[in-house]
């Protein structure tokens, strides 16, 4: 089961309520009969509690209205997966979780050192990128990932659009993925999509020298206060990682600030992209 933002928030709320009630998991087990291991999984968002389990916990923690109704609603919402549920079975669990988080985010900062960010990719570029980075994938798996990537992009043009701040190393602009025609189309698309008021693109030029992003790509997702704390996402061949600890998120926010400061302005970045497209 992919973790949703609402399930993560529910887990955090239940952890906090147990601490306020000054109860250990063992004491909750004695009062409610809920297994300690199960309670741990609920509090770490690994499982979604049943309605009766939630009621037992709220009784044990002496939670009154309107908080009780708020958490019951949150539990119902945690089961809602939106469009993703139709293809989630074809995706790795942590990637499905990432998409759930992204769909609930208010703002995303995406730094990429070698690729155009997924939310800004054309279909042909995405297909070439997936095929080259996952050479053992079947055609069906590749198409599933490409379809998912294209559907994610609707977040940029919905009624309350996602705010995207994309920072890329010049290498991502210069690397010809999929051939010259595909790359030219991709760069032209970048110039078009970044005209949206909620999409900002900055390029770190080669002559900027070393910078904090040289250790690898990352995504910082910011949520509204009512949803939950920020998350950092890192994708690698060793596995996808979510960082939620305040110190970790703060470290990547600092790196993001340095990257924005060291990159070209959005206007100068557009000029670099246009020159790269012309060269193709």
């Amino acid at each position: 089961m992919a973790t949703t933002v609402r399930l993560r928030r529910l887990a955090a709320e239940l952890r906090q309520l147990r601490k306020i009630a000054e109860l250990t998991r063992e004491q909750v087990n004695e009062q409610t009969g809920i297994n300690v291991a199960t309670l741990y999984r609920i509090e770490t968002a690994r499982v979604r509690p049943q309605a009766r389990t939630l009621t037992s916990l709220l009784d044990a923690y002496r939670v009154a209205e309107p908080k009780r109704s708020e958490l019951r609603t949150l539990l119902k919402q945690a089961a809602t997966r939106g469009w993703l549920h139709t293809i989630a079975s074809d995706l790795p669990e942590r990637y499905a979780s990432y998409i759930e988080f992204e769909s609930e985010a208010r703002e995303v900062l995406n730094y990429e050192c070698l690729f155009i960010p997924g939310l800004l990719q054309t279909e042909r570029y995405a297909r070439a990128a997936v095929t080259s980075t996952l050479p053992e994938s079947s055609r069906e798996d590749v198409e599933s990932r490409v379809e998912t990537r294209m559907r994610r992009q609707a977040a940029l043009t919905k009624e309350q659009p996602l705010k995207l701040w994309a920072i890329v190393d010049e290498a991502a602009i210069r690397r010809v993925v999929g051939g010259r025609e595909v790359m030219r189309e991709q760069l032209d698309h970048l110039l078009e999509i970044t005209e949206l008021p909620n999409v900002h693109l900055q390029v770190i030029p080669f002559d900027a020298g070393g910078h904090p992003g040289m250790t690898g790509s990352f995504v910082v997702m910011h949520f509204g206060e009512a949803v939950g704390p920020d998350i950092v996402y890192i994708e690698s061949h060793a596995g996808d990682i979510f960082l939620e600890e305040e110190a970790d998120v703060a470290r990547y926010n600092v790196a993001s600030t340095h990257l924005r400061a060291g990159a070209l302005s959005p206007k100068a970045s557009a000029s670099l992209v246009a020159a790269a497209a012309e060269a193709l």
Side-chain angles (χ1 to χ4, degrees):
M1 179 190 71
T3 303
T4 66
V5 172
R6 292 179 179 87
L7 182 58
R8 191 169 66 103
R9 180 186 163 201
L10 178 62
E13 292 268 13
L14 291 174
R15 285 198 309 272
Q16 184 64 19
L17 288 170
R18 180 172 60 79
K19 290 177 182 177
I20 291 173
E22 298 183 340
L23 294 172
T24 65
R25 292 195 181 103
E26 289 73 17
Q27 289 171 324
V28 174
N29 168 251
E30 292 173 4
Q31 289 189 30
T32 65
I34 298 171
N35 184 277
V36 172
T38 299
L39 182 57
Y40 171 79
R41 288 169 63 79
I42 290 172
E43 290 186 349
T44 53
R46 284 171 169 77
V47 297
R48 185 171 59 247
Q50 296 181 345
R52 65 174 179 271
T53 300
L54 178 62
T55 297
S56 295
L57 291 175
L58 297 181
D59 288 343
Y61 304 154
R62 298 182 180 179
V63 179
E65 295 292 354
K67 191 68 175 179
R68 290 179 75 94
S69 294
E70 177 188 327
L71 295 178
R72 288 197 190 99
T73 299
L74 195 57
L75 176 61
K76 291 178 182 177
Q77 292 174 338
T80 303
R81 299 285 298 282
W83 61 267
L84 181 63
H85 79 279
T86 60
I87 53 176
S89 60
D90 297 327
L91 300 172
E93 181 177 332
R94 294 185 76 78
Y95 182 45
S97 293
Y98 171 82
I99 297 170
E100 290 284 0
F101 292 151
E102 182 184 76
S103 69
E104 293 287 344
R106 181 178 58 187
E107 181 178 342
V108 166
L109 184 140
N110 186 184
Y111 165 71
E112 293 290 343
C113 50
L114 295 174
F115 289 101
I116 303 300
L119 286 171
L120 302 178
Q121 292 179 7
T122 64
E123 183 174 339
R124 293 205 296 172
Y125 180 97
R127 185 171 291 108
V130 172
T131 301
S132 59
T133 55
L134 299 172
E136 297 181 359
S137 296
S138 66
R139 179 187 295 181
E140 291 75 16
D141 186 32
V142 170
E143 291 306 314
S144 175
R145 285 176 175 267
V146 172
E147 179 190 355
T148 301
R149 196 163 297 180
M150 294 302 102
R151 295 182 72 172
R152 283 170 51 205
Q153 295 176 5
L156 298 177
T157 54
K158 63 185 181 180
E159 186 174 346
Q160 293 184 314
L162 173 70
K163 295 178 182 178
L164 173 64
W165 201 295
I167 306 174
V168 299
D169 193 281
E170 187 174 347
I173 303 298
R174 300 292 183 183
R175 183 174 298 279
V176 181
V177 175
R180 297 173 70 86
E181 181 183 340
V182 170
M183 195 64 197
R184 174 62 188 261
E185 177 187 59
Q186 173 62 69
L187 296 180
D188 287 343
H189 175 68
L190 269 186
L191 295 173
E192 293 175 7
I193 195 69
T194 50
E195 290 181 0
L196 292 174
N198 56 302
V199 178
H200 304 278
L201 173 70
Q202 287 186 268
V203 179
I204 303 176
F206 288 140
D207 60 15
H211 59 78
M214 293 177 70
T215 55
S217 303
F218 62 88
V219 178
V220 181
M221 289 178 275
H222 303 283
F223 303 92
E225 241 180 70
V227 177
D230 298 343
I231 296 177
V232 173
Y233 173 77
I234 303 169
E235 181 181 9
S236 74
H237 283 295
D240 299 349
I241 302 170
F242 289 105
L243 301 177
E244 303 181 53
E245 294 296 327
E246 190 174 332
D248 292 327
V249 175
R251 188 169 69 253
Y252 277 89
N253 278 328
V254 169
S256 301
T257 299
H258 283 285
L259 289 172
R260 284 197 296 264
L264 298 173
S265 68
K267 184 176 180 179
S269 296
S271 296
L272 187 151
V273 172
E278 187 63 30
L280 292 171

